[in-house]
Amino acid sequence: MRGIGVACRSLVLIDPGTWLESWLPFLQTPLGAVLFVPLYALWVTLLLPGVWASMLAGALFGTGLGSLLVFVGACLGAEASFLLGRYWLRNWARRRLAVVPKLQAVEKAVSREGLKLVLLTRLSPAFPFSLLNLAYGLSEVSLRDYSIGLIGILPGTVLFCGFGALAGDVARFGDVLSGQADLATWTLRIVGVLATVVVVWLVGLAAKRALQDSEPSS
């Protein structure tokens, strides 16, 4: 027991930044990219916020490949959370969602709206991704409609991976100033991220209006 305690204290003393930096070269290999998918799925299943992991994917793999890896990992994690909430952890999931009235309302409404509501809530940034997976697991929505509705996470996925890729470019801005990097490519990435922000914002507004229209009148 004493040895375990010493090991735990040693892990606590490890600088997370140093640990991550030591793993970055491996993550940027083809094998690292493949392993990133199940790691992201586990991250989602544990109900951890995926924003930083998505930005890390963008910084490591670029916007395109990073978005693909995150989307696949997020879908796998979302399916796992859905099944856990529906079949094995229902009581725990209900307690977890009891403090989020908005998600409880979604759970009740999805039986009426089906795929439409799933897709709209995925497009709207007002609903937390991980907890929404649990809410749909408790609802009566079919696994088919739930899975198709995951398409709605694509705009946000591209956005956060784009932010991560841009952060990597910003970190290398000194190379741009010294003429060691391609300024045109760097500028295009900024424009691309800004355009994505606008698109996600417009999609979110449209989803919000559609959700308000779908609410039953009192």
Side-chain angles (χ1 to χ4, degrees):
M1 293 296 292
R2 182 180 178 183
I4 295 176
V6 172
C8 291
R9 285 194 294 272
S10 299
L11 288 174
V12 170
L13 292 175
I14 294 176
D15 181 3
T18 302
W19 178 87
L20 180 59
E21 185 177 353
S22 67
W23 276 89
L24 288 182
F26 170 72
L27 288 174
Q28 290 177 301
T29 65
L31 178 58
V34 172
L35 291 178
F36 189 88
V37 172
L39 288 175
Y40 194 98
L42 177 62
W43 189 269
V44 170
T45 305
L46 294 175
L47 305 183
L48 297 172
V51 173
W52 302 114
S54 299
M55 292 181 66
L56 174 62
L60 290 174
F61 310 113
T63 303
L65 178 58
S67 297
L68 175 62
L69 297 176
V70 167
F71 179 70
V72 175
C75 287
L76 292 175
E79 298 284 359
S81 297
F82 176 88
L83 294 174
L84 286 171
R86 173 152 294 186
Y87 297 110
W88 296 290
L89 299 176
R90 290 188 68 85
N91 292 333
W92 178 86
R94 288 201 180 279
R95 291 194 300 270
R96 186 71 175 82
L97 296 178
V99 296
V100 191
K102 183 190 299 183
L103 292 181
Q104 289 181 315
V106 168
E107 177 197 341
K108 296 176 181 177
V110 70
S111 298
R112 181 181 70 252
E113 299 292 345
L115 176 59
K116 173 186 175 182
L117 188 65
V118 175
L119 188 59
L120 288 174
T121 51
R122 291 304 190 190
L123 290 169
S124 173
F127 298 93
F129 177 73
S130 296
L131 291 179
L132 198 57
N133 298 330
L134 285 181
Y136 281 126
L138 294 174
S139 74
E140 298 179 11
V141 69
S142 68
L143 179 60
R144 171 185 171 276
D145 285 350
Y146 173 81
S147 300
I148 295 174
L150 285 168
I151 296 173
I153 70 173
L154 273 173
T157 297
V158 174
L159 175 63
F160 289 118
C161 288
F163 277 141
L166 181 60
D169 286 338
V170 171
R172 295 189 294 271
F173 189 54
D175 295 338
V176 176
L177 295 178
S178 62
Q180 299 177 20
D182 186 351
L183 178 59
T185 300
W186 194 82
T187 303
L188 284 175
R189 288 180 179 176
I190 293 179
V191 173
V193 170
L194 292 176
T196 305
V197 170
V198 173
V199 170
V200 172
W201 177 67
L202 292 175
V203 168
L205 285 179
K208 181 180 178 181
R209 287 195 295 268
L211 282 168
Q212 292 173 341
D213 292 342
S214 68
E215 292 178 354
S217 56
S218 55

